[in-house]
Each structure stands twice: as structure tokens, then as C-alpha cells.
Amino acid sequence: MADVDVIIVGAGPAGLSAATELKRLGVARVLVLDREAAAGGIPRHCLHSPYGMREWHRVMFGPAYARRLTDEAQAAGAEIRCRTTVTALRPGGKVEVSTPDGLQVLQGRAVLLATGARETSRAARLVGGTKPGGVMNTATLQGFAAFADHLPFRRPVIVGTELVSFSAMITCLTHGARPVAMIDAGPGPTARAIMTLAPRMLGIPLRFGTKIAAIHGRSRVDGITVEAPEGPQDIACDGVVFTGGFRPENALLRTSALQVDPGSLGPSIDQYGRLSDPAYFAAGNVLHAIETAGWCWDEGRKVARTIDAALHGALPPRAEVGIRTEGAAIKYALPQVISPVGETPPAFDRMQLRLTRPYSGDVGIGGTSHRIDSRPERRILLPLPLSGQGA
Amino acid sequence: MNQDYDAAIIGAGVVGCAIARRLTLDGARVVVLEKGADILDGASKANSAILHTGFDAPEGSLELACVQEGYREYEALHAQMNLPLDRCGALVLAWTDEQEARLPALIAQAQANAVTDVELLSRDRVLTLEPNLNPALRAGFRVPRESLIDPWSAPHGYLLQALLNGAELRRSCEVTGGSFDGSQWTLTTSQGPVSAGRVVNAAGNYGDLIDKMLLGRTDFRIRPRKGQFLVYDKTAAALARHILLPVPTDKTKGIVVCRTIWGNLLVGPTAEDQDDRVTASLEEATLRMLEQKGAEILPALAGEEITTIYAGLRPACEFKDYQIREHAENMITVGAIRSTGLSAALGIAAHVGRMIGATAPLASPAVPRMAMLAEERTRDWQLAGNEGMLCHCERVTLREAKAALTGPLAPHSFAGFKRRTRAAMGRCQGFYCGQAVQGLLDKAGADRG
């Protein structure tokens, strides 16, 4: 059993920035594990900009950004091991991994979970019809674009209007496919309205209140049926891209003894990013699924500092003062637990809230009230009720 | 003209595969003609992966005899072919007064069917065995020998054994006509003529049409029965140890909740009669009904993630029993293998084998060892030299994938590859590995669908 100081599960923006920061803080052995063939995470196959604004104040494309994150972590002295799949999280920071050489057990003094997120599949959305080829998520589409240089369709329908949906649209257009429509069951775009400029200028119909009801075709897609405000309609197309609906990649968590928040589907953390087993920490999209690379990078850096404090015995014990949310519009609040306040600044100094439906009105935290006007998939930041320590 | 083969089997579903094995082991020269790009692409691609005891089959039926003979042979051969057998047992559950009142008759029927180890259980006993069940249940009984198997490695194994011992398989080979000259058949196919002493019609949902085409008559009419299924992620499998069955009706065994040998949990099937023999389409409203039904049986299922959805067509007809008969024209029809085909396949094959008679049984036939994908067994990802993981959700290694792409039964379609390896079948549905899998198949020239 190999011993290291910090094991980081996932070499995406959160995991790599945490690795760089831990090395900068003088932690001796930092090991980053990733199941893919190369480090960098999702940005690796996002062939669009902008990346890197928050980190380096410049605009970069996904692959260059992923390379720079990887290079920085390695230059700082972190070890990155790819093709290494974590298969179980055991109590106290013991981690089982599968490698090309078989099963191994690693022991970390601390373990950071930075496993990221994935989109909701067609199956999990219970979309009816047949199961032809050419139905995929954005990540698979971008995999085709980045690694196979051709797409498996020419005229797909894009389902969703999140930020990633427009990224899927651009990937199609730059790789010889022209989306026949972007559809969304909601009354307006999930992303900010400015994002809809591009499809409007390019003449790609945006259809709201339009829900995909069935997919048709035997080996390839030959059309879909939608439920639209004017009734059911058929749209001819040769592919379907289900975009967004991000959810934490939580399979490891769910088969461990670690506490999972049923709202976020990610781990339950305190303001230090610490899980119910204090050997474990988490950062990035495994917590909230939907943030940009820059946001995850920042969280990774901040949680690295609390991990360093934990390695020096400088974190207060984790307490079970749970944050209870009331109200049907609240999907979850992060962090889920408040531990006692100590010398170490919290990694999460504000409360992140997400909604299940559009909501305009007041939110009360403890005694104070805050006005919000937001909708699902948008980040809401409110003061965290920490006694004696502000944001 | 010399006949090329002793027997031509039309259809490479689970039944055709088992018959190919039986006739080959009995000494016949066999060819299997499959119109799909790959085998198991019709009725066999969607079932509940259970090896049934026949406890609820009609007394004295051919179905019962075949299910029970099939069960015994599977038990005897699974270890040497490295096929999984999870003897988890089934619980038949009553949720209403009316259903509870039917339990004694069902137990009596099981006894009459020589399934003598069933035991009536009180509500409390059932809940002790399965604490996650909805406590609203009334009573139940246990059928200890109902088991889980791999619905794909089993038929692959049957056909592979046939191929290793001299049989031939032609895929994308549709039979378009044929004539019998009094001693042999000449079939016309999309790949040219095939002559054989005997024809076995194992065409599943097309069984009656093949009869009509070759004999000019048919004794039954297939009306496909659609079944839709939900599959839940691995964490849901911990919610139930047993196969959870409802009290069956005349038409269907009803909606089952059970684990799979891969460690998922499935809910299904529905029973929806339709005329379309080709398309088994999914309907959101029905899937939502299954979701609700599953959560009524196992309340904790409500918080679990759905990994995949699928639908299949089972070849039902106007008769309840199997339609297996020998025609004067040296042809055997194996029709209307409605819902127990996976359990009964080896028994059906033995039955057909006896109808024909063994000519020169092979003394020491080659036996294939199949890839073991059962979750509770040691998997390749735990072993050295696995070449890394291709599919993370189902933990399929590159070495397993490459092995599946070689040999006489290498896949000819993406779906066929998934059935052999489970790659891209997991919770992310190809989010991570979809493009890599397609690349691997393209390189091997394996996607001809």
C-alpha cells in the first residue's frame, strides 16, 4: 500500500489547481489520479473559448487551457497518474484503484474528490421512441470533434439552451454539421438571453415550450416528434444532442459510506470543503455540477488551503450543524454543514443556492432576509451565517 | 446437387443459437442464417435475464417441459462454459386481498410442476428477507431456485460452441424463399442459395411468415407483445436480493423488479400487443408508470438514477403454449417462444434434437469459456495486464474489448459489441467512452449495422 499526503481524484480544473496549490504550500507528496488517457478533464475536448480569464487573464481554447493546468501542476511537483480509475473510497482516506496493472490500494492523509460532472443521458430523461445511433450528450459530440474529426450526423437537433448547448451548437457548425433547431421545454433560454444571439444570427430556429417526445429511426435517427405549444410536430433530423442537465459524477460517493446531499447529488461538505469522513474533501463540479472551469479552478485552490491546514492539525473538528432548507423552490444549499470557526479561512465563505424552478422573492437565512430573482441552473450567492467570521 | 448442410437454422436468437449447438453436438453439419447485422438482434435482445424454474407454467405444457429441461442443462454446463448463475431465488408478492387469495393455488401449481421447495411466507417473513420492500405488502411465497443469468453470454456461448465444432454462421443473410424437392431444401437468401437436408424455423417474431413463405401455410399467427424496461444504476441493486415477482395473470408474468448479474436493477416488462414486428418504441408515459410501479414496490428506488431504458418484442401468438412441430417437408417450426425463451432454449433444443435424432454425437466437443461479466466475480479490471479501462461505468477493460473483437463470433454491430462487453451500457450511456468505442469498432471494421 503506497502512502501519499494528498490523493486527488480527477485531473480537471478543480483537481489540477488544488494539486498546484498544495505543492506551492509545501505538501510533500501530491498524487492526482485520472481515469482518462490524459489529464485536463472536460476542457480537453472543448474546442471553443473562453477559458483562462479568471486564472491568467487571457482567453484560451479548451485544449490549451487543459494543457496549461496540467503543466503547472507537474511543474509544481505533483504526480499525475492517468488511466487510473478509482473503484472504491474506504474510510480514513484509503482508496482502491484499477490500473492497467490491476487492482491497487493507496492511502492518503487526505483525499480530494474532484470527479466533476456529466450530462443527463437520454435514458435518464425517459425520452420515448426508438434507440438509433446518433443520439448523444455534448461531451460525446465533442469527443467526436476532438478525436475523430468527423461527426456522426449532419443535421442534429440540440435539446437544451444552457451554456453548454451553445457550445454544442458551435462544435456542430465548426465540424460540418448544421443544427436544424435548438429546443427547450421551458418558456425561455436557460442560459442568459445574450447567448441566443448566435443561433438567431445564424438562422438556427430556437423553439421554447418545445419538449422532445420521441426519437425515430432504426439504425440512424430520421426524425423526432416534439410537443410544441401548437401541438405535436415532427422534425426531420439525423441526430439528437442532449445538452446540459449536469449532475455530479457521484457513483463512487454513492457506493461509499460518505454522506450525499439528495438535492445536489454531490457530497455533503462543511465550509472547509470537508466531507462526513474528515479525511475526504471535495471541490469543483462534483459539488454543484454546473459551474465554469474558472469557478472550479478557484474552488480547487481554496480547498487546497484547507486541506493543508488539516494536514497541520489546524482545522477545527467537523461538526454536524446541518443547514436545513425549507421551501419547494430550493434545490440545495452549499455547504450543507457548518463546522466551528477557527484560524483557517473557510474555502466556502458564501452560501451557494440553487433553485428547482424560477423564483422571485425573499430568502431568509437565520434572521436576515435576502431578495433574489433567479431560475434553475443559476448560481445564487448569499452570506454564510458563520458566527464571528464574515465573507 | 449435393446438399451443403444437414440443417439450416433460420434465426440466431437465443433459441436458434441453442438449437445450432444441440444439432452440431449431435453430429449434424449446421448453418445458421441471420438476417440481422448481428445475432440476438430480435426478440432475444430484451428480456429480464431470469432462469425460470417453471413454477407458474401451465401444467403439462410443452413450455413447462422445455423450461425445466433447459434449467437442468444450464445448471450442468454453466461452470465449464464460465456462464454466471446467481441463485438468488424469487419472491412472489401479493399486494391485495385478491392476490393473497390466489397464493395457495399458485403454490399448488408449483407443486404440481415439481417445484416442491416453495414456501408460503407471512408479511413479516417477507419483510425480514427483503427489508426495503413496501410494508404495504400482504404476503408472499419464495421460489428458491429462480436465478439470474447473463442473457447474452449464454446464447453467445451456445452458438460459439456450435461454431467451434464445425457449424457456420451467416449474418446479414435474409432468407427470401425456398423449395423442397422431396429430399432437400434449397433456400434463396440475400447471400445466394443454401441447400440443406432440413430447415429449422427459429425466426422469432417472423416465425409464421417464414412458415408461410416456405410451406405455404402456418398454424399460428404472431402478434408481437412489446415489453418496456427501466434499468437502474448499481447502487439500486443493493435494495433487493430476490427477484420480486407479482402474482401473474393469464396474459403475463407481470412487472418484475430484479437485479441483473451485472449489478444493476431492472423494472419491467410491460405487455403491450402490437402488429408492428420491427419497432419496439419506448413511451415516456409508460416509462413513468414503470418508475412509479418500481417505487411502489421498493420505495427507496425513487431516489435512484435510471441508467438505461429499453423495449423488446416477444413473439406471442393466439395460443398460450409454444408452437413446435415437425412438417412432412423436412422442416421443424419452433414458434411462439413467447416469454421464457432464455430459460427454455436448451430444453427446446433438446426437444428438437430428439425430433431429428442424433446421427453421430461428437465424442469430445470443444467447449468455449466465455468472458465473465458478473459483478460479484473477479473482473478483468482487477487483474494485471488489462490495458486500462475503456468504459468506466461498467468497468470494461481494453483487453476485454479486444478479446470480444476476435474469434468466429466477433460482433458485426455497435449493439452486438455492447452485448458482448457491456461497454457504453452504464450510467453515462457513452458520455465518456462513446467516441472511443466507435473508434475501436471502426478500426476493427466491426460496425456493419
Side-chain angles (χ1 to χ4, degrees), chain B residues 206-287:
Chain B
Y206 301 88
D208 54 342
L209 301 184
I210 292 287
D211 266 10
K212 251 188 203 153
M213 183 170 75
L214 297 182
L215 300 169
R217 62 179 190 273
T218 183
D219 304 323
F220 59 97
R221 186 177 171 279
I222 295 289
R223 185 138 195 272
R225 185 164 297 159
K226 181 167 78 176
Q228 303 186 51
F229 291 85
L230 297 178
V231 181
Y232 286 84
D233 201 7
K234 311 273 185 208
T235 49
L239 297 177
R241 167 79 199 144
H242 290 81
I243 299 162
L244 306 177
L245 302 168
V247 171
T249 68
D250 271 354
K251 187 179 162 190
T252 168
K253 285 176 173 294
I255 291 165
V256 178
V257 176
C258 71
R259 289 179 298 120
T260 67
I261 60 111
W262 310 293
N264 300 79
L265 188 100
L266 65 80
V267 179
T270 55
E272 308 164 64
D273 292 340
Q274 64 176 43
D275 290 319
D276 190 334
R277 296 171 193 250
V278 180
T279 309
S281 66
L282 296 152
E283 281 114 33
E284 185 182 340
T286 312
L287 298 171

Side-chain angles (χ1 to χ4, degrees), chain B residues 162-180:
Chain B
L163 300 182
L164 293 178
N165 290 287
E168 288 176 38
L169 167 67
R170 298 192 191 171
R171 285 174 271 193
S172 302
C173 181
E174 183 172 0
V175 175
T176 53
S179 57
F180 180 66

Side-chain angles (χ1 to χ4, degrees), chain A residues 35-36 42 83 85-88 98-103 115-119 121-131 137-140 143-144 147-148 150 211-214 218-219 227 246-247 249-252 254-255 265, chain B residues 35 41 45 206 230 233-235 278-284 287-288 291 303-311 380-389 392-393 395 397-398 418 427-435 438 442 449:
Chain A
R35 60 194 194 177
E36 296 286 317
I42 295 276
R83 291 187 195 280
T85 308
V86 175
T87 54
S98 168
T99 73
D101 298 323
L103 199 58
T115 51
R118 65 184 149 82
E119 294 164 287
S121 70
R122 174 258 174 105
R125 295 169 195 240
L126 299 185
V127 173
T130 57
K131 293 177 72 179
N137 285 124
T138 314
T140 315
F144 274 100
F147 307 125
H150 70 281
K211 180 172 176 267
I212 182 164
R218 288 206 68 197
S219 64
E227 285 158 19
F246 279 95
R247 52 189 302 147
E249 182 54 89
N250 67 0
L252 274 175
R254 299 208 50 201
T255 48
L265 300 175
Chain B
K35 82 177 170 121
D41 211 30
K45 74 179 168 190
Y206 301 88
L230 297 178
D233 201 7
K234 311 273 185 208
T235 49
V278 180
T279 309
S281 66
L282 296 152
E283 281 114 33
E284 185 182 340
L287 298 171
R288 299 247 174 248
E291 193 181 21
E304 295 290 338
E305 184 178 356
I306 290 166
T307 292
T308 190
I309 49 180
Y310 65 95
D380 200 45
W381 59 267
Q382 295 163 299
L383 305 173
N386 63 51
E387 301 183 45
M389 255 188 231
H392 305 297
C393 300
R395 296 183 179 167
T397 68
L398 189 56
K418 283 161 61 170
R427 68 186 73 87
C428 91
Q429 291 286 294
F431 178 95
Y432 286 105
C433 72
Q435 184 272 324
Q438 187 68 58
D442 289 346

